[in-house]
Amino acid sequence: MSTNLPAIAAKTNSNLTHVERIVLNKENRIMKIGFQAAYTQIYNVITAIFPLFGIDGTKEYYMETADYIGRNYKLISPEEIRTAFELYSTEKLDLHDDIKFYGKINIHTLGKIINAYISWRNKITYQIEKEKEEELEQDILLKKREILSREYDKDFENKLKNFRSDNYNDVPIHWYEMADRLGYLNWAEGEKESLWEEAKLLALDEKPDSDNLIDRKSHMRKIAEGNLPRARTIAYKLAVYKKIIKFSLDGK
């Protein structure tokens, strides 16, 4: 199941690279790879990005900072520290204070940036998980429909075999759609047209539902207009009856 990361980036008004970095580094979070493996990566990241922000320090300073991050921020990956500072530089993080470094960064300020990044990341991961859940639900629904459809198709075959009436009117109208979808209806040239003409004649020959004067007038008006809606219904029923049911019975 693939997640549409460009769509998520657009929904959250985020940089696609940052969104991709969240996904790619999920398995590389400090908690998962352990402190020792993370420490070197953290050290390499902060020695690369801190100077870009005018933050200077000795080797010992970088080692202590890497140690502090590795022990206190286990839910991020080393590479996400880079993302945090990139977002800080473009003012994408929700920081309540105007943070200045003045050549150094203390633990308090560092914590604010990382915690603000985690809050930002949570909005992205929420969208990612939401989309995955929706895709999963859609997939489950589709599979259920496929299973139900197969069962219904099998049931339809049994219903055709067990149909005993000699009257085409007893054929349920929805059987036509089922038969057509399952490939039961194969037409010779001109056969459809012939069946339609027969259905129209049968529709014109039908009697009113009752002797009630209103019903009779309504029926006569329908007949005068060709009674085409009824002819259509007859054609569907007649197609199933003649092409499948009667054909099967005659072949036995």
Side-chain angles (χ1 to χ4, degrees):
M1 187 181 296
S2 60
T3 307
N4 189 345
L5 297 184
I8 289 172
K11 278 182 186 176
T12 55
N13 194 27
S14 305
N15 184 295
L16 178 57
T17 301
H18 293 155
V19 174
E20 289 174 338
R21 203 177 285 169
I22 290 173
V23 176
L24 292 172
N25 286 281
K26 187 176 181 181
E27 298 302 316
N28 199 43
R29 291 179 183 176
I30 297 166
M31 179 179 64
K32 291 192 174 184
I33 64 175
F35 174 80
Q36 291 300 329
Y39 174 83
T40 302
Q41 294 182 42
I42 297 167
Y43 181 86
N44 291 336
V45 169
I46 63 175
T47 54
I49 64 169
F50 278 14
L52 299 176
F53 291 86
I55 302 169
D56 198 11
T58 62
K59 183 177 181 181
E60 287 72 21
Y61 164 76
Y62 283 118
M63 289 172 66
E64 288 175 6
T65 305
D67 182 87
Y68 175 79
I69 294 172
R71 295 187 188 281
N72 291 280
Y73 296 98
K74 298 181 185 295
L75 292 179
I76 65 170
S77 69
E79 193 60 31
E80 285 180 287
I81 300 166
R82 188 189 307 277
T83 306
F85 275 83
E86 287 174 357
L87 291 170
Y88 160 75
S89 69
T90 54
E91 299 182 347
K92 295 289 186 182
L93 296 180
D94 188 12
L95 291 164
H96 301 293
D97 301 324
D98 184 20
I99 293 176
K100 305 287 184 188
F101 297 124
Y102 302 109
K104 293 288 181 182
I105 184 169
N106 59 42
I107 289 172
H108 181 66
T109 302
L110 181 64
K112 281 187 174 182
I113 292 174
I114 293 177
N115 285 325
Y117 164 74
I118 291 172
S119 295
W120 173 88
R121 187 186 69 183
N122 287 344
K123 295 175 184 177
I124 308 298
T125 52
Y126 169 77
Q127 285 295 333
I128 291 172
E129 293 307 316
K130 183 183 176 185
E131 184 170 302
K132 283 182 180 178
E133 188 176 333
E134 287 173 354
E135 286 181 8
L136 182 61
E137 287 176 357
Q138 196 64 30
D139 189 48
I140 290 170
L141 183 62
L142 186 62
K143 285 178 180 175
K144 280 183 178 178
R145 283 176 178 169
E146 287 175 355
I147 291 169
L148 286 172
S149 179
R150 284 197 297 269
E151 290 175 352
Y152 193 71
D153 291 350
K154 188 175 180 180
D155 187 50
F156 177 63
E157 291 175 13
N158 291 330
K159 284 178 178 178
L160 286 173
K161 289 175 184 175
N162 295 323
F163 188 84
R164 294 290 179 264
S165 175
D166 292 329
N167 190 340
Y168 71 86
N169 260 319
D170 293 332
V171 175
I173 190 170
H174 68 274
W175 280 18
Y176 177 85
E177 185 276 330
M178 291 287 295
D180 189 49
R181 181 171 61 80
L182 294 171
Y184 280 94
L185 298 172
N186 299 305
W187 302 92
E189 188 176 349
E191 193 176 10
K192 259 189 179 182
E193 292 77 7
S194 175
L195 186 137
W196 173 236
E197 292 303 320
E198 182 181 354
K200 286 194 289 185
L201 290 174
L202 288 168
L204 292 174
D205 197 41
E206 285 203 336
K207 306 300 180 190
D209 294 331
S210 73
D211 289 332
N212 180 286
L213 182 60
I214 295 174
D215 288 343
R216 287 173 63 187
K217 282 184 176 180
S218 173
H219 182 71
M220 288 175 68
R221 186 170 58 253
K222 288 178 184 177
I223 296 297
E225 293 171 353
N227 205 9
L228 293 180
R230 176 58 185 160
R232 212 167 280 116
T233 298
I234 292 173
Y236 289 147
K237 291 171 173 275
L238 208 56
V240 175
Y241 183 77
K242 282 193 164 188
K243 296 285 292 175
I244 305 171
I245 297 168
K246 195 169 184 303
F247 179 81
S248 298
L249 290 173
D250 291 347
K252 288 180 180 179

